[in-house]
Amino acid sequence: MNSDTKEYLTSEQLAEMLGVSLRTVVNMRRRRQIPYVQLGHVIRYRRAAVEAALQSFTVKEITFVSRK
């Protein structure tokens, strides 16, 4: 496994990376907004998969056209 493409984070590390609370990460996981891997009670997040999933939240710029 290439460590660059398979970097896994804990919930705490992901919260710090995103600049949100741990509770927010847990809520996002429960709502299935971010992908995760669970082995027993251990939960990890693949950095690349989370970053790709968060792209769906990106708001595109909308150009306003005046109707005069």
Side-chain angles (χ1 to χ4, degrees), residues 1-2 7-8 12 18 22 28-29 44 51 56 63:
M1 244 189 260
N2 184 348
E7 182 179 356
Y8 290 90
E12 292 82 5
L18 297 176
L22 178 58
M28 292 175 77
R29 182 181 73 229
R44 295 291 183 263
E51 289 174 349
S56 67
T63 306

Side-chain angles (χ1 to χ4, degrees), residues 7-60:
E7 182 179 356
Y8 290 90
L9 305 168
T10 65
S11 295
E12 292 82 5
Q13 290 170 326
L14 182 60
E16 185 176 328
M17 181 185 98
L18 297 176
V20 298
S21 69
L22 178 58
R23 186 83 227 145
T24 298
V25 170
V26 171
N27 288 338
M28 292 175 77
R29 182 181 73 229
R30 288 185 176 164
R31 291 181 192 132
R32 308 261 189 224
Q33 293 174 323
I34 53 175
Y36 63 95
V37 175
Q38 183 171 358
L39 299 170
H41 293 288
V42 177
I43 296 174
R44 295 291 183 263
Y45 307 87
R46 194 168 141 232
R47 180 190 295 264
V50 170
E51 289 174 349
L54 292 177
Q55 288 297 317
S56 67
F57 294 112
T58 302
V59 177
K60 307 273 192 254

